[in-house]
């Protein structure tokens, strides 16, 4: 089968399309899936550049989203049959999804919503579980809460806006002015162009000094130390970002803030409620662009490049 293989850690240029052995079902509960689409996540390029080198043995295939068709099943598999359309997130540390076929355990699979394309479905599993973990499990977001989602145009942000709105929250987000209309269509009530305005001052003005109940950090930098200035007393901050630099949390202390730190979630249980929201039309995957699997290098350059020719909006997808 064809697969994008990493033989050495580095930049996008280390992603090479190669012929590798096709996996086969040997276990009682295993399922072989023909991958039709995969998406590109920050976790993918972190693996590619060696951030998690102690957890992998080169060469490796990265990729953390699968949308495809069941090809074969183990003797103990009862729920799934060849031809079933499924989507899921491969186990972190195992073989990834940048390949024509993927072998997994039946416990990881979810049924694809009927009305989604493979490309749309591939944009959901990893960010879906992550967003549910951040908003519902950790932040306990509820109807009537206010939430700030910096970077609402990203893969996590574009889904988080929709989920937060489905839960009945009032949604603030940041994004470039050129994306304002699209972000409003996703459900954002207020869009702040952080290139032109100070988002903390804007939140304080909109909330009359109260601040928001929840802040979701997918941006990093100084967000953890600065964002409490836009937070209400006893508010919650949930971050998905590695804390690479020292942070001064004096403002969080003043707000009696609660911090939650989330590593990207690969959970079928947390994908189920996202699937329900998709099936009822409350959430729709947002696709930024689609690349063929043999151009994975360009897909990685797009997600990493800070000087894009057009702003990123949603997920980048690889088509097989």
């Amino acid at each position: 089968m064809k697969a994008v293989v990493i033989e050495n850690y580095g930049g996008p240029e280390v992603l090479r399309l190669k012929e590798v052995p096709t996996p086969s079902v040997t276990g009682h509960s295993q399922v072989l899936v023909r991958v039709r689409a995969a998406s590109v996540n920050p976790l993918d390029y972190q693996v590619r550049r060696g951030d998690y080198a102690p957890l992998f043995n080169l060469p490796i295939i990265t990729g953390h989203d699968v949308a495809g068709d069941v090809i074969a099943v183990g003797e103990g598999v009862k729920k799934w049959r060849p031809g079933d359309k499924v989507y899921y997130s491969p186990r972190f540390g195992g073989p990834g999804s940048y390949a024509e076929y993927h072998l997994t355990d039946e416990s990881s699979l979810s049924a694809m919503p009927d009305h989604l394309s493979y490309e749309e479905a591939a944009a959901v599993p990893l960010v879906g579980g992550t967003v549910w973990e951040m908003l519902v499990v950790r932040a306990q977001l509820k109807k009537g809460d206010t939430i700030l989602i910096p970077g609402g145009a990203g893969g996590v942000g574009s889904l988080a806006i929709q989920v937060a709105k489905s839960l009945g929250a009032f949604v603030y987000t940041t994004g470039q002015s050129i994306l304002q209309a699209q972000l409003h269509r996703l459900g954002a009530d207020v869009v702040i162009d952080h290139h032109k305005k100070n988002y903390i001052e804007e939140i304080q003005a909109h909330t009359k000094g109260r601040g928001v109940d929840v802040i979701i950090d997918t941006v990093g930098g100084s967000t953890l130390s600065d964002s409490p200035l836009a937070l209400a007393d006893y508010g919650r901050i949930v971050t998905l970002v590695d804390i690479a630099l020292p942070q001064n949390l004096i403002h969080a202390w003043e707000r009696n803030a609660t911090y939650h730190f989330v590593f990207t979630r690969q959970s079928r249980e947390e994908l189920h409620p996202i699937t329900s929201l998709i099936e009822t039309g409350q959430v729709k995957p947002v696709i930024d662009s689609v690349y063929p699997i043999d151009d994975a290098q360009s897909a990685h350059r797009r997600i990493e490049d800070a000087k894009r020719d057009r702003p990123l909006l949603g997920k980048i997808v690889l088509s097989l």
Side-chain angles (χ1 to χ4, degrees):
M1 69 173 181
K2 293 180 180 178
V4 176
V5 179
I6 299 169
E7 296 178 318
N8 298 285
Y9 294 119
E13 70 280 357
V14 304
L15 299 170
R16 301 290 179 86
L17 190 68
K18 298 197 169 218
E19 285 287 338
V20 301
T22 301
S24 59
V25 171
T26 58
H28 190 70
S29 62
Q30 287 183 328
V31 177
L32 182 64
V33 176
R34 172 66 167 94
V35 181
R36 300 296 182 180
S39 78
V40 179
N41 297 281
L43 187 59
D44 301 354
Y45 67 70
Q46 291 165 0
V47 169
R48 186 209 70 219
R49 68 192 184 190
D51 292 15
Y52 301 100
L55 302 178
F56 294 90
N57 293 315
L58 293 171
I60 56 177
I61 300 168
T62 192
H64 297 87
D65 289 297
V66 170
D69 305 313
V70 173
I71 297 297
V73 301
E75 292 181 357
V77 177
K78 304 301 182 186
K79 181 178 179 180
W80 307 102
R81 291 289 178 267
D84 288 345
K85 293 184 177 182
V86 295
Y87 72 153
Y88 61 97
S89 184
R91 179 181 60 83
F92 183 68
S97 58
Y98 290 13
E100 288 185 298
Y101 296 90
H102 187 263
L103 185 66
T104 190
D105 190 87
E106 66 170 327
S107 62
S108 66
L109 301 179
S110 292
M112 262 180 59
D114 291 335
H115 64 284
L116 292 188
S117 67
Y118 290 113
E119 289 77 16
E120 289 173 323
V124 176
L126 190 63
V127 297
T130 299
V131 166
W132 195 259
E133 171 79 10
M134 295 178 79
L135 296 187
V136 178
V137 178
R138 302 298 188 90
Q140 297 183 11
L141 189 71
K142 61 185 183 300
K143 185 176 181 179
D145 279 348
T146 52
I147 182 172
L148 169 63
I149 304 172
V156 172
S158 58
L159 184 65
I161 289 172
Q162 298 178 74
V163 174
K165 182 53 61 176
S166 76
L167 295 170
F170 188 93
V171 180
Y172 297 90
T173 192
T174 63
Q176 297 182 43
S177 295
I178 193 173
L179 298 177
Q180 186 171 21
Q182 292 99 315
L183 293 173
H184 278 305
R185 281 197 290 271
L186 291 178
D189 296 286
V190 175
V191 180
I192 302 165
D193 188 338
H194 55 293
H195 294 286
K196 298 178 179 179
K197 296 181 179 180
N198 183 299
Y199 77 90
I200 294 172
E201 293 176 356
E202 290 296 304
I203 291 293
Q204 288 290 343
H206 277 281
T207 63
K208 297 180 171 57
R210 178 185 180 276
V212 295
D213 299 301
V214 174
I215 296 175
I216 299 298
D217 173 27
T218 66
V219 177
S222 62
T223 303
L224 286 189
S225 55
D226 294 343
S227 59
L229 292 169
L231 192 69
D233 288 342
Y234 299 96
R236 293 91 74 195
I237 297 175
V238 186
T239 182
L240 185 64
V241 184
D242 296 342
I243 314 303
L245 299 173
Q247 303 280 331
N248 185 342
L249 302 183
I250 187 65
H251 299 303
W253 172 75
E254 293 169 350
R255 295 290 196 278
N256 281 291
T258 300
Y259 278 86
H260 296 273
F261 301 90
V262 174
F263 183 74
T264 304
R265 293 290 294 180
Q266 293 161 295
S267 168
R268 184 176 71 170
E269 288 68 31
E270 291 180 336
L271 180 58
H272 285 337
I274 300 294
T275 300
S276 296
L277 291 174
I278 292 171
E279 290 174 336
T280 57
Q282 297 178 76
V283 165
K284 181 176 175 59
V286 181
I287 305 298
D288 172 84
S289 48
V290 178
Y291 292 82
I293 188 67
D294 58 3
D295 200 13
Q297 292 185 9
S298 295
H300 273 234
R301 291 188 183 99
R302 172 141 182 82
I303 195 172
E304 289 184 275
D305 189 3
K307 299 179 180 178
R308 305 180 183 95
D309 56 352
R310 61 180 177 84
L312 185 71
L313 179 62
K315 293 297 297 292
I316 299 168
V317 175
L318 297 175
S319 177
L320 288 90

